[in-house]
Amino acid sequence: MSTVSTDLPTTVADLIVEQLRQLGISTLFGVHGANAENIFDAALRHPDITPVIAKHEFAAGAMADGAARISGGIGAVLTTSGGGALNVVPALAEAYDSRVPVLALIGTAPRPTVGRGGFQDMLTPPDTIDLTAVLAGVTGAYAVVDDPDSLAAAFTVVVTALHRGLPAALVIPKDVQAAPARPVAPPRPLPPDSSPESNTLAARLTELVADGGHVCIWAGEEASWLRLREPIDALATSLGATVVVSPGGRDVGATGRCAGVTGVMGHPSAHKALSEADLWLVLGCRMSLTDRAGLDDLAAATPIVHVGAWRPRISAVTEHIPCTDLSAFVESLTGHIGAAPAAPPAAVIDYLRTPDTDLPLDMRTVIDTIGTHLPTGCAVFADAGNTGAASIHYLPFGDFRFGVALGMGGMGHAIGAGLGCALDSGKPTVVIAGDGSFFMHGMELHTAVEYGAPLTLVVLNNNAHAMCVTREHLYFPDAPSLNRFAPTDIAAGVAAMFPGLSVFHAADAAELATACADALTTAGPACLVVDVDPDEVPPFAPFL
């Protein structure tokens, strides 16, 4: 393992950066500022850490989140105090609700100024805001490094939370960052994962299938992060089972056994598959309302075995098996079950029926065309609103990774998350976002250009917050719309701002096919803007 150069003075900032490397972190995202500059400087000098400067702290936090979701490791974000520290809070909230291990490093005012009117003091409530109280609500643990010698203890606190799959935060005053420090022990290694014995469950499932019963496997985000597509397919084959997936586990369902996605943006065929099963085997899905909408009555009447690190968010579960090594459990379960029964017919995915659009391009055609041209092995991130619903519902299943932030549903999160994945992994990444999300955080395209990220940002432009337009039409038909915008030529604007960026624009199916063939295969950053209809009702069951 590389260490900080020995010819440089060893400061707390140097040791913090080396601790990041010991945790497997290679990219540090953030926005520079006076009270964070020592750590940025240490990261710049470290041979195995790449600092990335974002345009906004929310996006930087989302970048760390996206890098962690796809790598299965830990993400890291660095901000300065004041507005910078508060801007990262929504990203930490998403990481908390979605159980993504992101470490936030927050530089604060020097200790001699704390409580004395120092600029951006956040540590002396009630005279100042209470930063630690804010962080307590969006992290699994936080620690204030108020003395150089407290670094080791602080890391122990936050690493424990990170190993549980929760975000954590270290608050480090600027003078502490610059202080000389004694070397500290590397972060504690990840504790051995817990894989409970699978014999009893295997016998139960085998007996059910032998008696003519049917199992439906429901895979979620934990299965996605562990890349369990093939192991779950093998388990489904051994049981003659059908597979359904939650939105966060969408990239697990890439075989002929998959009946689609569950939840409000999902497929009727997925709900049908669950209704026909005699037992649900739920693997790494927290069964949140977004995952299970429309299934509560059925869940109450069906035996459910839930396996995963986190308890499900529904009381109807018959049995929960705590497991922090889902991969080993699935492999063991498959091994105990043994010979495969006769295979059921391949699952056919049904789609929600949505009204026709008045524009030349409907969302299904757009998402289908994007899916056809996705690079092999890429990662896809879908943003909020109509775009997210359409991507979850219509995107063809394939060999790509898929990420969606449904914990908080923050607009623009996918732009940062996809960019973080692209920069951290170096692999092609596609972000599908709406124009509303672009206006919030689309200037991270500047970051993509600066670092030459292998990212294609697809902006579906309907000149509206179209999900809100639909809600206005359905629920407030007599009120004037607040969510329609004057037309904006996003493609021309982006091309003018970034002369070296590959920019494409499509207004009909033929233009889209040609543009996708180029935009999704370019090596560097690219932007594709597609005209869509603000009045098209998205594939969202409550609206239909």
Side-chain angles (χ1 to χ4, degrees), residues 361-363 366 370 433 435 458-462 491 504-508 512 515-516 528-533:
L361 276 174
D362 63 278
M363 294 290 267
V366 172
I370 292 170
D435 53 311
V458 180
V459 181
L460 306 187
N461 183 20
N462 47 33
F504 307 86
H505 182 215
D508 59 39
L512 179 64
C516 282
L528 167 60
V529 181
V530 185
D531 296 341
V532 291
D533 187 349

Side-chain angles (χ1 to χ4, degrees), residues 77-161:
V77 57
L78 171 59
T79 82
T80 189
S81 50
L86 296 177
N87 282 343
V88 81
V89 168
L92 293 176
E94 173 61 49
Y96 187 93
D97 200 72
S98 295
R99 299 302 190 257
V100 182
V102 171
L103 176 59
L105 305 172
I106 299 176
T108 56
R111 288 174 298 173
T113 72
V114 172
R116 296 175 174 83
F119 180 62
Q120 294 183 340
D121 180 8
M122 310 175 78
L123 296 175
T124 53
D127 184 53
T128 69
I129 69 162
D130 190 344
L131 177 60
T132 59
V134 173
L135 293 173
V138 294
T139 64
Y142 69 89
V144 180
V145 185
D146 53 8
D147 182 271
D149 291 331
S150 67
L151 180 62
F155 255 101
T156 297
V157 170
V158 299
V159 168
T160 298

Side-chain angles (χ1 to χ4, degrees), residues 1 26 50 53 88 128 140 186 225 259 265 293 343 370 400 494 509-510 517 536:
M1 186 70 70
S26 59
T50 300
I53 300 298
V88 81
T128 69
W225 299 340
M265 296 167 281
I370 292 170
F400 52 85
V494 168
E536 180 176 356

Side-chain angles (χ1 to χ4, degrees), residues 194-202 204-205 222 279-285 304-312 317-326 329-330 333:
S194 166
S195 178
E197 182 51 60
S198 60
N199 289 16
T200 303
L201 179 58
R204 177 181 172 187
L205 296 175
E222 189 179 346
L279 181 143
W280 300 352
L281 177 58
V282 184
L283 301 175
C285 173
I304 302 172
V305 178
H306 181 278
V307 187
W310 301 95
R311 293 193 64 85
V317 170
T318 310
E319 179 182 356
H320 169 62
I321 302 176
C323 178
T324 59
D325 192 348
L326 187 61
F329 185 87
V330 170
L333 188 61

